[in-house]
Amino acid sequence: MKQSRRKVLKAGAALAVTAGLPVRAARAQQNVVKIGMSMPQTGSLGAGGQAALVALRLWVDDVNAKGGLLNRKVEFIAYDDQTNPANVPGIYTKLLDVDKVDLIIAPYGTVPTAPLMPMAKQRNLLVMGNFSFQVNAKVKHDMWFNNAPWNDASSWSDGFFANGKRVGAKSVAFLAADQEFAQNLANGARALAKKDGLKAVYDQNYPPTTTDFSSLIRAIRASKPDMVFVMSYPNDSVAIVRAVNEIGVGSGVKMFGGGMVGLQFTPNMVNLGSLLNGIVNYNSYVPGMKYPGIEDFLARYSKRAAEAKVDPLGFYLPPFNYAIGQMLEQAIRAVNSFDHGKIAQYLHNYEMKTVVGPIRYGKDGEWANPRVVQAQFRGVKDKDMDQWRQPGKQVVLFPEQYKTGDLIQPFEKARG
Amino acid sequence: MFFSLDLLFEALMFGVLLGCFYAAVSIGLSVSFGLLDVPHVAHPAIMVFGSYCTYLLASYGWDPLVAGTVLMAPFFLLGMLVYRFYYETFEKRGTEAGVRGLAFFFGIAFIIEVGLILGFGVDQRTVNAPYIGESLRLGDYRIPHRMLVAFGVALVLTFVLTLYLSKTFTGRAIKAVAQDEPALRLMGANPVRIKQWAFGIATAASALAGAMLIIVGPVEPALDRLYIGRTFAIVVLAGLGSMTGTLAAGLILGIAESIVLMFFGASWAPAVAFGILLLVLGVRPQGLFGR
Amino acid sequence: MKFWIPAAVLVLAAIGLALSPVNEYFFYASYIVLTFVVLATAWNILGGYAGYVNFGTAAFFGLGAYTATVLFKWLGAPLVVQIAVAAAVCGLLGFGVGLLTLRLRGIFFAIATVAVIFIMETLMINWRYVGGATGLQLLRPEVMAPFETYTRMLFAAMAAMAVGAVALARWVQVSWIGRGLRALRDSEEAAECAGVPTLKLKLFACTLSGALMGAAGAPMPMYLSFVEPVSSFNLTWSVNALAAAMIGGTVHWLGPVIGAVLLGTLQQVVTVTISNEVNVLVVGVLLVLFVVVAPEGVLGLIKRWLHYFR
């Protein structure tokens, strides 16, 4: 009677309210093209994401200064997913259905990108990947283009294991976070180590929220490995470096590091300082490597970053994020359309010129020619940002064409 | 996972240090929930709030331990205010209100957590001090200084609180109000004032616990959820109202967690506290030294 | 009849909406609001009718989501089967939790239910088949005609589930079971002395409550195309269910519905206009406000206003 009718009215009113949700722009305006993304600006990947965002906004301004894309001004929308994959589906649904963006870019990093992939495949969207690792391997979306200097596990771990074998390493310890990036890499690295004849004396996953690594480092030390291959995200990488400094990993370890994300972020590099010495880790760019146009870009980026109070060095992500913009620009101008299918076709078939060199894609949407650098930290001093601008603090061990030095081992000796 | 006596010994040692730290963190709850029967699920949240206050003071150059000690005073007042409000709104009105009091504290815990996220973001925060990052070398074993500091503070805190509760007048009144409130009233003491004072002490202890929390490791706003399990497991295992019981229970939890961490992996460790909690509640709800 | 006609109208209206050209985001957001309706209603059966404040909603919700994931990954089971089996599994968990926490009251019961959440979460984190802490990407099957997108279909399914859950809660409330639960809420000893089978009633309430929460969690992996333990077992589900029921009013089945619709809609609007975090602040503040000022919830307020006008 009264109550059931009330119920109907109440529910109806609520439905009406939500149906009339404020929608940013119901119809895409004719002279604007919207590019949207979620970027981790806080949380584990936050420091990297903020730097990447500066580079992307720099690209948007550059493009708009030239008149925009196909005579339409670019409007750039970025939300913060806080490095939490649970926030990503909601953010991209909002971007697509409320903000009505025309193009999407993936968030920086494998972990926030993983939930986007099924959605992208189901809605048939072009996705520009951003430093993810093998995040498309299970979903196999054909309009995925990842901008990162690696493609599969071997492109990453080859450098690390090759150096190890050269100094006679026979065993390896694996320490990996239980999240998409580290697990993808760990699965690949394990298989490669086996093929190479290396013995895995320790192999552990840890929950991504772990903050105290003392027990894990102790256990690694007790297993006496020749190499320790660590696959971690920024928060854990920093904690692991500190734990190694506190507890020690054993005098027999020849190499330590490999896949530690976050040791390339300037704030971490400055805060950890001399604690980094001796660690062999991957990178995408170190000063001294010659990509055409990169030093120019870094100078312009530095100015913008200083204003935004973000990482002023910008070695790791910013050049690659700018390159994402450049690739979109080239493809869109070439096919003269914003149609996702046409852009994807172009990206599959042509090589593009960017500030990180020429980029060509393989069938799986990853770089056809990987270029992962393994470098050893040497002679790093505490609390000194400018020391990183000169070559020499990160000695490149692999690949051959960029090599600047040989591995110093054992690990304990290289730290001193 | 291979078994080695060396590793076991290290796990035990680390467990003892960790356990004392957990005990210190739970002492506030032992008073507020154990003695006063306040369903204080917001205790870990207030502690994390204390960590962030320590972080703020540390960013001005204060040593975190000094900051924690200084924060005890304002937190004491905060505790008194919170209890007063709780008493007026809920406890006075009878047992039905107990359920709502529980919901109230859960709401407060969430408000604190979100407040911290809005104020500081979700990033992890740490502090620097000369005793953070160095470790003590005993032969092949290395003990981080920060764990020793937490261990020391924990012992001092437990000792001081136990003394206070058994030797001073107010302390004994607090224990009395837990045992038999009407009798206390008949003896001329005002139970509400005493409980307010006790809650203030518990909150002050939380401030110091918060400082220790950020010394031992990085903190983030959602950290309180993990500590709900640990603190309640310890307080329930100890038996409500027992301070030395809290220390013992803390040690048990610390050692159990450390051993699980070493031999079963880091992914099982968070469940140890909750597992112990369920076990105690199912088998012996009055705990080890309960009243 | 007075209940069933508006109920049928609502389900038909929901299906009609799902087939109309309303903005897609509306369905995405409303799905969550409807989930809250089911969770709050389920919570209220144990928390409101019986007075056992339960913080473990997230445990059942998450287990429901993971049961559905396993069924989908292993057998490719259709949505209806996922929901049914999830309800059964979570009903069993509810029964188990009820047995385990027989003698616990008040805060001890609440803390025990929180413990169940974390233990369930840890179990899922250690189970590689469902992705462990990494999580699992899921590709939705083809959407059933006549719905245009999968989200719309989930919206309609959840609307039907909400009506079903409310119907169950209403039946419990008016039957002898509800009377028994009310008796044991007021005084468990007195009820036992009067011959009320308190143990059986409590177990029944736990089981039904758990089953409904599990059913609500089952479509979640399909909704997100992704499942991972931390968000599936997030304590926020528990707080939202509890807050919705307490804000709406716990004595009548209408209370959780009102609370869920109000709270859920407010949260969705806030998410789109301000940010995600402020969501949780909204729940916390409203919960504290109502618990302090209006303990009988919106229903209680409405009753008071009606009295003033009579």
Side-chain angles (χ1 to χ4, degrees):
Chain A
M1 145 292 315
K2 273 203 181 115
Q3 284 182 329
S4 348
R5 215 181 299 151
R6 210 178 291 140
K7 169 184 166 184
V8 177
L9 281 174
K10 273 228 154 42
L15 285 173
V17 164
T18 24
L21 269 178
V23 171
R24 278 254 200 109
R27 297 265 160 266
Q29 290 160 274
Q30 269 311 100
N31 52 353
V32 160
V33 58
K34 293 191 189 171
I35 303 186
M37 72 185 294
S38 162
M39 178 71 97
Q41 296 166 55
T42 53
S44 205
L45 296 174
Q50 287 180 27
L53 215 49
V54 171
L56 277 167
R57 293 196 204 277
L58 181 59
W59 171 76
V60 169
D61 288 346
D62 284 351
V63 162
N64 282 338
K66 288 188 250 172
L69 284 173
L70 305 185
N71 283 323
R72 303 219 276 187
K73 285 265 181 252
V74 174
E75 186 185 317
F76 183 66
I77 304 171
Y79 295 114
D80 180 7
D81 57 47
Q82 304 173 335
T83 321
N84 186 354
N87 290 336
V88 169
I91 289 178
Y92 278 91
T93 309
K94 184 158 61 149
L95 282 168
L96 291 162
D97 295 327
V98 177
D99 299 312
K100 306 268 192 208
V101 296
D102 299 292
L103 291 162
I104 57 171
I105 300 178
Y108 155 52
T110 317
V111 168
T113 306
L116 173 61
M117 300 311 296
M119 189 194 296
K121 182 165 180 166
Q122 273 147 198
R123 292 176 80 146
N124 223 17
L125 301 164
L126 168 74
V127 185
M128 300 303 291
N130 196 344
F131 259 68
S132 313
F133 182 75
Q134 288 295 308
V135 78
N136 190 31
K138 297 180 212 95
V139 174
K140 299 203 195 344
H141 183 38
D142 59 356
M143 295 208 282
W144 158 256
F145 299 96
N146 187 21
N147 197 17
W150 50 74
N151 45 27
D152 61 9
S154 93
S155 68
W156 193 305
S157 55
D158 273 354
F160 193 81
F161 288 148
N163 265 289
K165 285 185 67 184
R166 207 179 301 163
V167 296
K170 300 231 176 14
S171 60
V172 62
F174 290 112
L175 182 65
D178 192 352
Q179 34 97 319
E180 185 85 20
F181 157 71
Q183 288 303 304
N184 286 347
L185 184 53
N187 289 332
R190 271 184 210 118
L192 290 166
K194 213 162 171 204
K195 220 173 52 165
D196 253 351
L198 293 165
K199 181 167 166 232
V201 294
Y202 178 91
D203 191 346
Q204 270 297 293
N205 295 332
Y206 60 86
T209 47
T210 308
T211 50
D212 196 318
F213 288 89
S214 331
S215 302
L216 293 168
I217 298 293
R218 269 191 216 107
I220 291 178
R221 192 180 68 209
S223 64
K224 300 204 196 329
D226 291 327
M227 297 189 280
V228 182
F229 193 64
V230 181
M231 294 149 276
S232 54
Y233 252 24
N235 282 344
D236 351 327
S237 302
V238 170
I240 290 174
V241 172
R242 291 191 194 276
V244 165
N245 188 55
E246 262 187 358
I247 308 279
V249 78
S251 45
V253 170
K254 301 184 202 288
M255 284 175 71
F256 185 96
M260 300 174 77
V261 181
L263 299 187
Q264 309 80 6
F265 295 174
T266 305
N268 291 337
M269 284 154 64
V270 172
N271 287 333
L272 289 173
S274 58
L275 299 183
L276 288 169
N277 281 326
I279 294 180
V280 177
N281 203 25
Y282 81 96
N283 213 326
S284 60
Y285 169 80
V286 301
M289 287 168 74
K290 298 276 173 228
Y291 294 150
I294 192 159
E295 268 143 29
D296 236 11
F297 164 76
L298 286 175
R300 282 197 306 143
Y301 163 86
S302 222
K303 268 197 234 99
R304 295 275 289 240
E307 282 161 16
K309 298 215 186 67
V310 160
D311 167 15
L313 295 177
F315 293 152
Y316 183 56
L317 290 169
F320 282 80
N321 271 259
Y322 191 85
I324 291 178
Q326 289 183 308
M327 285 195 283
L328 272 177
E329 198 182 333
Q330 284 175 47
I332 289 173
R333 286 196 213 279
V335 301
N336 203 29
S337 140
F338 293 109
D339 175 74
H340 287 205
K342 294 205 184 120
I343 300 175
Q345 210 182 20
Y346 182 87
L347 290 170
H348 266 306
N349 294 324
Y350 292 89
E351 183 177 275
M352 287 152 289
K353 300 209 178 330
T354 70
V355 287
V356 293
I359 298 179
R360 180 182 275 276
Y361 281 104
K363 273 202 150 149
D364 55 357
E366 308 290 331
W367 273 26
N369 305 308
R371 221 187 295 150
V372 179
V373 163
Q374 290 280 349
Q376 183 170 38
F377 290 99
R378 295 231 199 112
V380 179
K381 297 196 217 35
D382 289 331
K383 299 203 196 317
D384 180 351
M385 166 128 55
D386 290 314
Q387 67 180 331
W388 298 102
R389 293 187 198 273
Q390 312 309 322
K393 297 298 172 185
Q394 295 185 69
V395 175
V396 178
L397 307 172
F398 184 95
E400 278 302 321
Q401 73 224 79
Y402 298 113
K403 184 164 165 183
T404 58
D406 282 314
L407 172 72
I408 294 186
Q409 55 96 7
F411 173 58
E412 292 286 335
K413 176 162 150 223
R415 287 181 59 209
Chain B
M1 228 71 29
F2 51 81
F3 184 86
S4 108
L5 222 50
D6 256 347
L7 269 187
L8 181 62
F9 184 69
E10 277 201 272
L12 280 172
M13 210 164 47
F14 192 70
V16 167
L17 293 175
L18 193 64
C20 280
F21 165 66
Y22 285 161
V25 151
S26 315
I27 272 244
L29 191 67
S30 226
V31 173
S32 55
F33 175 54
L35 285 178
L36 304 176
D37 273 332
V38 176
H40 193 15
V41 280
H43 168 258
I46 292 190
M47 187 177 64
V48 174
F49 176 57
S51 299
Y52 274 89
C53 291
T54 308
Y55 169 76
L56 268 179
L57 288 177
S59 63
Y60 287 109
W62 291 48
D63 173 88
L65 264 185
V66 169
T69 320
V70 165
L71 282 169
M72 285 174 86
F75 270 66
F76 178 79
L77 293 169
L78 175 69
M80 293 224 290
L81 269 166
V82 170
Y83 182 77
R84 196 66 205 215
F85 183 79
Y86 168 77
Y87 179 76
E88 297 295 334
T89 327
F90 300 102
E91 200 167 306
K92 246 178 25 183
R93 305 186 191 167
T95 50
E96 164 62 38
V99 160
R100 287 168 31 227
L102 188 55
F104 167 73
F105 276 108
F106 248 100
I108 295 286
F110 268 81
I111 292 179
I112 293 179
E113 192 182 308
V114 180
L116 287 174
I117 293 181
L118 291 173
F120 292 91
V122 296
D123 293 331
Q124 287 181 344
R125 305 282 171 187
T126 54
V127 290
N128 288 316
Y131 42 83
I132 299 179
E134 297 300 314
S135 51
L136 187 67
R137 285 166 209 242
L138 291 175
D140 255 345
Y141 305 117
R142 310 260 281 265
I143 308 177
H145 284 173
R146 58 191 163 89
M147 295 308 296
L148 288 172
V149 166
F151 176 71
V153 173
L155 284 181
V156 168
L157 192 61
T158 317
F159 187 61
V160 166
L161 218 59
T162 317
L163 267 184
Y164 180 80
L165 286 174
S166 51
K167 299 283 185 253
T168 69
F169 180 75
T170 350
R172 278 181 293 170
I174 293 174
K175 284 176 98 172
V177 85
Q179 279 175 359
D180 195 340
E181 190 170 321
L184 190 71
R185 220 185 276 266
L186 288 173
M187 298 208 291
N190 181 346
V192 180
R193 290 264 303 277
I194 292 176
K195 290 207 264 192
Q196 205 176 298
W197 188 266
F199 201 84
I201 292 180
T203 314
S206 299
L208 194 58
M212 276 192 285
L213 198 61
I214 196 172
I215 288 175
V216 162
V219 297
E220 45 155 1
L223 199 58
D224 64 318
R225 300 184 186 195
L226 193 58
Y227 276 86
I228 289 184
R230 290 184 175 143
T231 50
F232 273 90
I234 289 176
V235 169
V236 169
L237 178 60
L240 298 186
S242 168
M243 295 299 124
T244 33
T246 309
L247 195 58
L251 281 169
I252 294 176
L253 179 63
I255 293 176
E257 250 192 45
S258 195
I259 295 200
V260 166
L261 192 64
M262 188 66 92
F263 296 107
F264 293 98
S267 46
W268 288 105
V272 172
F274 288 104
I276 288 183
L277 181 64
L278 277 182
L279 204 68
V280 173
L281 284 177
V283 168
R284 195 190 151 90
Q286 66 268 45
L288 294 171
F289 304 93
R291 55 188 161 102
Chain C
M1 268 299 116
K2 294 176 192 142
F3 169 80
W4 288 107
I5 295 182
V9 165
L10 268 173
V11 177
L12 287 172
I15 298 182
L17 257 175
L19 297 172
S20 75
V22 170
N23 184 339
E24 187 78 15
Y25 197 74
F26 167 75
F27 299 104
Y28 191 76
S30 307
Y31 173 87
I32 297 288
V33 176
L34 289 169
T35 304
F36 281 177
V37 171
V38 179
L39 288 178
T41 305
W43 183 91
N44 203 40
I45 293 176
L46 187 61
Y49 296 166
Y52 272 75
V53 174
N54 164 26
F55 278 96
T57 310
F60 300 98
F61 183 81
L63 184 61
Y66 271 91
T67 310
T69 305
V70 168
L71 283 169
F72 180 69
K73 185 172 176 192
W74 178 31
L75 300 169
L79 188 66
V80 177
V81 172
Q82 292 174 25
I83 293 177
V85 177
V89 170
C90 291
L92 250 138
L93 178 68
F95 186 78
V97 171
L99 273 180
L100 196 71
T101 56
L102 277 182
R103 292 175 286 165
L104 303 177
R105 307 277 178 82
I107 185 173
F108 291 103
F109 179 73
I111 296 295
T113 55
V114 174
V116 175
I117 298 179
F118 281 85
I119 291 181
M120 288 272 99
E121 186 181 338
T122 306
L123 284 173
M124 294 304 144
I125 285 180
N126 283 292
W127 194 10
R128 286 249 67 90
Y129 184 71
V130 291
T134 302
L136 218 52
Q137 294 162 317
L138 299 163
L139 284 168
R140 295 165 171 174
E142 282 306 313
V143 64
M144 252 170 43
F147 296 106
E148 239 181 69
T149 70
Y150 210 85
T151 311
R152 286 165 187 257
M153 184 182 89
L154 286 178
F155 167 81
M158 196 49 104
M161 198 195 293
V163 168
V166 173
L168 272 170
R170 177 175 168 273
W171 168 70
V172 167
Q173 183 184 327
V174 304
S175 69
W176 64 272
I177 300 178
R179 277 200 296 277
L181 289 174
R182 274 196 293 281
L184 86 87
R185 179 189 66 203
D186 290 334
S187 166
E188 195 150 341
E189 284 95 8
E192 250 169 63
C193 293
V196 176
T198 53
L199 177 59
K200 286 210 197 91
L201 287 177
K202 271 196 293 192
L203 285 177
F204 176 77
C206 281
T207 312
L208 182 60
S209 184
L212 284 174
M213 290 175 183
M220 204 63 184
M222 288 288 106
Y223 172 73
L224 293 173
S225 302
F226 186 74
V227 67
E228 58 96 35
V230 175
S231 57
S232 304
F233 291 99
N234 197 335
L235 208 56
T236 315
W237 293 112
S238 298
V239 169
N240 275 315
L242 179 145
M246 291 191 103
I247 289 174
T250 52
V251 279
H252 192 277
W253 55 263
L254 198 54
V257 176
I258 296 178
V261 170
L262 235 93
L263 196 62
T265 313
L266 188 58
Q267 286 192 337
Q268 289 304 312
V269 171
V270 162
T271 304
V272 175
T273 52
I274 309 180
S275 82
N276 220 348
E277 276 73 62
V278 187
N279 252 350
V280 185
L281 190 64
V282 164
V283 181
V285 168
L286 279 178
L287 176 62
V288 170
L289 209 66
F290 270 83
V291 153
V292 169
V293 167
E296 279 157 39
V298 169
L299 280 182
L301 288 175
I302 293 179
K303 243 197 320 205
R304 269 193 252 165
W305 289 337
L306 286 179
H307 271 272
Y308 288 151
F309 292 125
R310 290 234 173 112

